[in-house]
Amino acid sequence: QLQLVQSGGGLVQPGGSLRLSCAASGSSLDSYTIGWFRETPGKERDELTFISSRDRSIFYKASAKDRFTISKDSAKNTIYLQMDSLELEDTGEYWCAADRDEETWRWGRAAHWSQGTRVIVSS
């Protein structure tokens, strides 16, 4: 059974950077679509970015493009979300999620979720 344990997050000033990590155990991430969701105040949880299990392509939501970078270290079975130029609107709860099916992942119905972490962007 795949388990995801997230780390990182916290308080950062606008324009700052944070890196989230999501370490997997129980199975290799190579056969999963894996990526990040977030929920910001007043909005529903939404996808940010993912690495496709089909072809290893990477997708970024418009809100994440150019400022956020997803990466995977297969040796460590861990993915990362590097967040730069953080804005007040990036404040929220962040999760990593994994599913063997990309469409299921994109619908927000991934089978495996991390515990989540809060990111607060504030001056």
Side-chain angles (χ1 to χ4, degrees), residues 8-82:
L11 176 65
V12 63
Q13 291 187 339
S17 298
L18 278 176
R19 189 176 81 156
L20 306 181
S21 301
C22 178
S25 62
S27 184
S28 170
L29 286 176
D30 289 345
S31 59
Y32 289 83
T33 288
I34 179 78
W36 298 90
F37 283 82
R38 78 175 179 187
E39 183 176 307
T40 56
K43 296 184 179 179
E44 294 184 352
R45 187 168 62 186
D46 194 16
E47 62 181 8
L48 272 180
T49 176
F50 68 88
I51 300 173
S52 171
S53 60
R54 296 175 186 171
D55 57 7
R56 304 291 186 262
S57 60
I58 293 176
F59 168 86
Y60 289 100
K61 195 88 171 186
S63 54
K65 201 171 182 180
D66 298 329
R67 297 187 301 120
F68 294 3
T69 304
I70 187 172
S71 61
K72 185 172 76 172
D73 185 333
S74 293
K76 294 182 178 179
N77 213 26
T78 298
I79 66 164
Y80 304 93
L81 182 66
Q82 177 67 39

Side-chain angles (χ1 to χ4, degrees), residues 102-121:
E102 181 178 314
E103 290 304 312
T104 300
W105 190 96
R106 299 200 70 177
W107 277 104
R109 297 171 183 167
H112 310 281
W113 292 83
S114 65
Q115 78 278 20
T117 190
R118 181 162 294 273
V119 171
I120 300 172
V121 183

